[in-house]
């Protein structure tokens, strides 16, 4: 660990932005490993919100935050003191088994199996029963309506009473050139956008066609993330945000359906990559399903630790990591049903705890540091969404959000990244700090994956708060890029969002410990300065931040 201490000290020499407050403090790889092993053990049942696994996780985090020297930073209680947690009320929906689902092609009924051909999310409209009988099926291309880009895949087509098949990612992902950022994904490429559009179009539902490259993950991930419990924040009229059917379909049955309707899937996909595309009905094809829904309200919890600032306690630098994972779900080939989520995100949560310990051990910063472990990230960033919509501390004086989702488990790297390359001075600050650790910045290797919209910092960013999600690099000190990329690829296919995301004694967390040191230095510098990190010109989040400019002196 010594080399990291020396590197940390030189970061201060380079920047001279504040006192060397972290000298002598270093995050321990062994402690990170302890937290990860405990939180990803089968006893924590995959840390599903509103399960026994949540109770254990929240208790563990509360005890750890207290033990490392943080103060409670959660909900204000009647006695004027703060709790360790923030209540996060959520609506919870489950499909009652079995789901009946079929398509009729030229009068012939084909029965499908949930999880095999399709993954139908539990309906979130508030209805206890969803019945769809012989709904016509229409292909709507990428399902994008973007007036600022002069793009409308619907062209006024009436989708009421109909099921739409929609491509994932945005229209210029495959060609790499066009009005939607080329290979980089805009928000129009996210499946969450597609479902929002389904509700706006008044469709019975949208079924997203799964293809591995544009989705950036395989069918197993789709199946595991969409066939178990789903959650939403509590809404006045859920039908404004949710169509009854929100689902995914595998590529092969899709191609077969197109064929049976006399259509060529690949040819129509090419057409969908042009402005002239119009919806195409799959003549002779209808869709039916019967779903009974178990809906209830639950209260999950964010866990919040605080280190009040000495001079400007109202200004907050907020570290985040999501504590939840997928809980218990469908079994894998080995019969394992517990989605342990060791990397995703017991590892980032472990970093959060240990950054908290190091921060509590160093001289107190002038601005406050907040350590926020959020719930329900895997359900659609809901814990961070709830926090940002109901902030415990005003967002106008929230200086920055530094998020961690997945730690480095293959040892130190020569580089690092941020999810989706935020156009942000905070990122420049991080690049400067990293120089002291001999780490260089690598741009997002998969800009088409839409990573900026897929981590909890997005809940802050869309409300204007300068926010980044840190990611360890792939250019490993031991084995270089070739090893890093191979390991990353293997993780994505074999473990990501699968029961196999388990802790292994082979993991080398020394890189994660060094990264945690580095993120502490970044937050400490900001918290000891009067600087306000900013969005760069052209960022879609800048205007939102500017609205609260008067709060920042
Ligand atoms: Zn995840």
């Amino acid at each position: 660990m010594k080399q990291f201490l020396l590197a940390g000290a030189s970061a201060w020499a380079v920047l001279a932005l504040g006192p060397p407050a972290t000298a002598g403090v270093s995050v321990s790889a062994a402690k990170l490993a302890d937290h990860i092993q405990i939180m990803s053990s089968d006893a924590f049942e995959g840390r599903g919100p509103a399960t026994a696994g949540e109770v254990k996780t929240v208790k563990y985090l509360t005890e750890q935050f207290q033990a490392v020297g943080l103060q409670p930073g959660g909900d204000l209680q009647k006695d004027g003191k703060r709790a360790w947690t923030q209540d996060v009320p959520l609506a919870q929906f489950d499909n009652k088994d079995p789901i009946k689902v079929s398509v009729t092609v030229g009068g012939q009924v084909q029965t499908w199996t949930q999880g095999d051909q399709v993954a139908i999310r539990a309906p979130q409209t508030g209805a206890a029963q969803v019945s769809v009988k012989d709904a016509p099926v229409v292909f709507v291309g990428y399902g994008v309506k973007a007036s600022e880009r002069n793009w409308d895949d619907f062209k006024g087509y009436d989708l009421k009473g109909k099921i739409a098949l929609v491509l994932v990612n945005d229209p210029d992902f495959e060609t790499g050139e066009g009005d939607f950022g080329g290979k980089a994904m805009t928000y129009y490429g996210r499946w969450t956008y597609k479902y929002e559009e389904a509700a706006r179009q008044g469709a019975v539902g949208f079924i997203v066609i799964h293809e591995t490259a544009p989705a950036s993950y395989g069918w197993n991930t789709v199946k595991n993330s969409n066939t178990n419990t789903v959650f939403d924040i509590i809404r006045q009229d859920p039908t404004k945000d949710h169509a009854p059917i929100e689902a995914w379909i595998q590529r092969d049955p899709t191609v077969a359906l197109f064929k049976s309707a006399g259509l060529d899937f690949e040819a129509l996909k090419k057409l969908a990559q042009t402005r002239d595309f119009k919806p195409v009905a799959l003549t002779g094809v209808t869709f039916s399903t019967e779903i009974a829904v178990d809906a209830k309200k639950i209260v999950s919890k964010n866990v919040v630790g605080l280190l009040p600032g000495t001079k400007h306690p109202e200004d907050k630098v907020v570290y985040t990591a999501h504590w939840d994972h997928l809980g218990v779900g469908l079994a894998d080939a080995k019969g394992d049903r517990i989605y342990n989520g060791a990397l995703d995100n017991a590892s980032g949560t472990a970093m959060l705890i240990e950054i908290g310990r190091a921060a509590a051990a160093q001289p107190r910063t002038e601005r406050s540091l907040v350590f926020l472990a959020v719930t329900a990230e895997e359900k659609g960033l809901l814990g961070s969404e709830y926090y940002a919509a109901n902030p415990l501390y005003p967002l106008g004086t929230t200086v920055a959000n530094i998020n961690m989702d997945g730690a480095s488990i293959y040892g130190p790297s020569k580089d690092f990244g941020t999810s989706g390359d935020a156009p942000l001075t905070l990122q420049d600050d991080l690049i400067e700090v990293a120089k002291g650790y001999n780490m260089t910045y690598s741009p997002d290797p998969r800009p088409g994956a839409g990573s900026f919209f897929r981590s909890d910092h997005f809940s802050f960013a869309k409300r204007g708060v300068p926010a980044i999600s840190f990611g360890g690099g792939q250019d490993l000190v031991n084995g270089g890029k070739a090893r890093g990329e191979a390991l990353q690829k293997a993780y994505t296919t074999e473990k990501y969002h699968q029961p196999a995301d388990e802790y292994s004694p082979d993991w080398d967390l020394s890189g994660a410990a060094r990264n945690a040191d580095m993120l502490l230095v970044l937050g400490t510098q900001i918290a000891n300065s009067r600087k306000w990190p900013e969005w760069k010109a052209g960022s879609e989040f800048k205007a939102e931040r500017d609205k609260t400019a008067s709060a920042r002196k």
Side-chain angles (χ1 to χ4, degrees):
M1 293 310 297
K2 245 181 196 149
Q3 65 203 29
F4 305 135
L5 280 176
L6 287 171
S10 70
W12 289 106
V14 171
L15 282 158
L17 280 176
T22 59
V25 174
S26 182
V27 167
S28 146
K31 285 205 167 73
L32 292 177
D34 286 347
H35 296 309
I36 296 169
Q37 282 187 73
I38 292 167
M39 287 187 283
S40 68
S41 66
D42 282 357
F44 280 64
E45 297 177 36
R47 302 186 308 281
T51 67
E54 157 153 7
V55 176
K56 278 197 170 145
T57 309
V58 168
K59 179 169 182 281
Y60 183 75
L61 288 173
T62 302
E63 286 168 1
Q64 291 301 315
F65 278 4
Q66 191 157 20
V68 303
L70 304 183
Q71 299 175 19
D75 284 328
L76 262 182
Q77 303 173 114
K78 283 198 188 103
D79 60 6
K81 291 181 184 156
R82 287 192 179 272
W84 280 104
T85 54
Q86 177 185 36
D87 279 357
V88 179
L90 297 174
Q92 174 184 330
F93 305 93
D94 284 281
N95 288 323
K96 287 186 194 162
D97 284 337
I99 291 181
K100 283 187 198 152
V101 51
S102 63
V103 284
T104 304
V105 178
Q108 300 280 88
V109 179
Q110 301 173 12
T111 304
W112 280 353
T113 304
Q114 167 82 330
D116 288 352
Q117 292 82 14
V118 284
I120 304 181
R121 295 167 67 78
Q124 299 176 66
T125 54
Q129 182 76 27
V130 172
S131 303
V132 180
K133 185 90 184 98
D134 291 327
V137 178
V138 182
F139 175 58
V140 295
Y142 288 88
V144 169
K145 187 167 181 169
S147 54
E148 81 285 0
R149 286 168 163 90
N150 187 28
W151 194 285
D152 179 2
D153 284 329
F154 303 104
K155 310 277 193 309
Y157 195 100
D158 184 4
L159 286 171
K160 288 199 179 63
K162 302 187 179 86
I163 289 280
L165 294 169
V166 59
L167 296 161
V168 71
N169 216 308
D170 54 33
D172 64 7
F173 171 77
E174 288 204 342
T175 61
E177 257 173 54
D179 297 300
F180 293 86
K183 280 278 167 212
M185 188 195 275
T186 63
Y187 188 57
Y188 297 107
R190 282 289 286 158
W191 56 269
T192 51
Y193 166 78
K194 315 282 179 184
Y195 295 147
E196 288 164 14
E197 198 57 48
R200 281 191 289 268
Q201 295 292 328
V204 170
F206 272 24
I207 305 183
V208 178
I209 302 162
H210 175 258
E211 294 186 280
T212 302
S216 81
Y217 36 74
W219 178 255
N220 274 343
T221 298
V222 170
K223 182 177 89 169
N224 295 337
S225 308
N226 293 281
T227 56
N228 55 7
T229 308
V230 298
F231 293 87
D232 195 7
I233 59 171
I234 306 277
R235 299 182 192 275
Q236 291 282 9
D237 180 2
T239 62
K240 283 199 176 125
D241 295 274
H242 294 285
I245 301 297
E246 298 174 332
W248 288 75
I249 183 169
Q250 293 238 50
R251 187 178 186 280
D252 287 352
T254 306
V255 171
L257 276 189
F258 274 63
K259 209 171 166 194
S260 68
L263 301 171
D264 177 343
F265 174 70
E266 282 300 326
L268 279 176
K269 184 159 78 173
K270 284 271 169 301
L271 203 58
Q273 291 161 7
T274 70
R275 274 203 170 75
D276 297 335
F277 174 83
K278 287 193 201 79
V280 179
L282 275 69
T283 311
V285 178
T286 62
F287 175 92
S288 301
T289 189
E290 283 287 335
I291 307 170
V293 188
D294 187 4
K296 46 180 173 287
K297 278 185 189 169
I298 58 113
V299 178
S300 188
K301 286 181 193 305
N302 293 332
V303 186
V304 198
L306 174 70
L307 289 174
T310 52
K311 247 181 159 171
H312 307 284
E314 66 287 357
D315 298 353
K316 304 283 193 299
V317 175
V318 181
Y319 288 96
T320 48
H322 74 87
W323 62 252
D324 68 302
H325 195 57
L326 300 172
V328 178
L330 294 181
D332 67 6
K334 290 180 186 154
D336 188 356
R337 297 183 62 220
I338 299 177
Y339 290 66
N340 304 80
L343 180 63
D344 181 11
N345 186 31
S347 67
T349 309
M351 286 173 77
L352 184 72
I353 297 167
E354 290 306 314
I355 292 174
R357 183 194 306 275
Q362 72 181 6
R364 207 60 90 235
T365 50
E366 295 183 0
R367 288 163 155 170
S368 300
L369 300 178
V370 175
F371 299 84
L372 173 62
V374 293
T375 181
E377 185 271 355
E378 304 289 6
K379 311 300 179 191
L381 315 180
L382 297 179
S384 58
E385 173 69 19
Y386 185 84
Y387 178 93
N390 306 274
L392 294 165
Y393 310 105
L395 297 184
T397 48
T398 297
V399 188
N401 167 233
I402 301 168
N403 184 58
M404 294 157 286
D405 198 348
S408 294
I409 58 174
Y410 311 118
S413 55
K414 293 176 236 172
D415 65 341
F416 73 95
T418 61
S419 299
D421 298 340
L424 189 61
T425 62
L426 181 62
Q427 178 149 300
D428 299 340
D429 296 339
L430 177 58
I431 289 169
E432 276 305 310
V433 171
K435 283 180 185 165
Y437 293 80
N438 296 318
M439 285 175 86
T440 56
Y441 172 70
S442 287
D444 189 339
R446 300 189 306 159
S451 303
F452 194 80
F453 318 110
R454 289 171 62 179
S455 258
D456 289 303
H457 71 297
F458 181 58
S459 300
F460 289 86
K462 71 182 183 187
R463 292 178 175 85
V465 177
I468 51 174
S469 191
F470 177 84
Q474 294 196 347
D475 189 0
L476 300 177
V477 169
N478 171 14
K481 266 189 195 158
R483 178 168 171 258
E485 282 167 13
L487 287 167
Q488 173 65 41
K489 208 174 161 202
Y491 173 80
T492 305
T493 39
E494 292 159 21
K495 297 183 176 171
Y496 175 67
H497 281 199
Q498 297 173 49
D501 181 2
E502 291 175 335
Y503 176 77
S504 162
D506 299 345
W507 286 10
D508 176 356
L509 289 159
S510 60
R514 181 196 59 180
N515 295 343
D517 274 356
M518 190 166 90
L519 294 178
L520 174 63
V521 169
L522 174 68
T524 301
Q525 283 185 2
I526 298 167
N528 279 330
S529 85
R530 292 306 294 147
K531 282 203 325 188
W532 295 95
E534 286 174 359
W535 297 100
K536 292 184 180 172
S539 159
E540 63 259 59
F541 309 113
K542 193 174 169 13
E544 197 56 36
R545 186 61 163 172
D546 289 347
K547 286 182 191 167
T548 56
S550 63
R552 293 182 290 281
K553 308 213 173 65

